[in-house]
Amino acid sequence: MRRPLASAAAAVVVLSLLLAGCGDDGDDPDAGESSQTSEPTDEPTDEPTDEPSGSAEPDGQAEPAGAPCDVVTDEQLTKITRSEQRVSGPRQEGTSQRCATVRGADDGLDLTWTFQEPVMSFDELVEYESDPALEQQRVQVGGVPAVLMTGEYVGEQLARVLVEVEAGHLVVEAKNSVVGEPRPEAELTRVATEIAAAYAG
């Protein structure tokens, strides 16, 4: 009689230990919390993210260009470039203010105009912007003396116009980008000259 009772008692003890061991994992409130807090969440944060520069903006969401870029309106820009483009800027770059355009992905015209504070003379600016690959000539833009530089620059056809205007030394650059239909030099020259004339006239 004693041996069956001892075996039964031992079985009860083992069963109790097994049940107690299983209950520890489920009954620990911290165990559930640690597993939940260690999981990454996809909730949005308030920290700002960097947007790629030059990215296309949704229609109707673009902010209007500010001075001095706003001398050229979107309508004028589209007429001058003969493609759907919008004025963008200014963007401060050191002592310069840079204006650019927002254009279609298949538009091959890359157009910028930059106002530089007169930290150097106009002749010094011309020397600084000169390149052996570019032909240089003195012209009149909007009745103001200017310098036109044309040629192939870094593998792309380019027209660059330099002129002194009220907002500072103006450098207009029209060139073909790596995408889209390339434009002839005469067309790039016309675009750059007409942008410069909007400020010089």
Side-chain angles (χ1 to χ4, degrees):
M1 292 292 293
R2 292 174 61 91
R3 293 180 68 181
L5 284 175
S7 298
V12 169
V13 170
V14 171
L15 184 59
S16 298
L17 289 173
L18 286 174
L19 289 174
C22 292
D24 284 346
D25 291 337
D27 295 336
D28 184 1
D30 293 334
E33 269 183 37
S34 62
S35 64
Q36 289 175 355
T37 55
S38 63
E39 291 292 326
T41 61
D42 293 331
E43 293 180 7
T45 65
D46 292 333
E47 294 183 11
T49 56
D50 293 331
E51 292 291 334
S53 61
S55 60
E57 300 176 22
D59 291 340
Q61 300 296 318
E63 291 185 9
C69 303
D70 58 358
V71 168
V72 178
T73 66
D74 292 344
E75 292 76 17
Q76 288 174 314
L77 179 66
T78 296
K79 185 177 180 181
I80 291 170
T81 60
R82 296 174 183 169
S83 61
E84 195 69 35
Q85 296 201 10
R86 296 196 312 269
V87 182
S88 171
R91 178 178 177 179
Q92 192 71 35
E93 296 181 347
T95 59
S96 304
Q97 288 186 303
R98 183 174 182 269
C99 308
T101 67
V102 179
R103 65 187 195 275
D106 58 347
D107 192 335
L109 176 62
D110 187 2
L111 175 63
T112 60
W113 57 103
T114 305
F115 299 90
Q116 302 184 0
E117 292 183 12
V119 293
M120 62 179 79
S121 70
F122 185 72
D123 287 338
E124 288 173 332
L125 176 66
V126 171
E127 181 65 28
Y128 178 79
E129 294 289 344
S130 297
D131 188 271
L134 300 177
E135 182 184 337
Q136 183 175 309
Q137 57 182 308
R138 297 275 173 172
V139 296
Q140 290 280 322
V141 174
V144 179
V147 173
L148 170 65
M149 301 178 184
T150 55
E152 190 172 297
Y153 185 72
V154 196
E156 299 295 341
Q157 199 67 36
L158 171 144
R160 180 182 293 156
V161 175
L162 288 72
V163 61
E164 288 186 279
V165 297
E166 191 174 317
H169 295 330
L170 173 62
V171 180
V172 183
E173 201 168 86
K175 63 181 180 179
N176 289 317
S177 67
V178 294
V179 297
E181 189 69 24
R183 302 197 186 195
E185 182 181 293
E187 179 70 2
L188 297 175
T189 299
R190 182 192 63 78
V191 170
T193 302
E194 288 189 23
I195 293 293
Y199 289 90

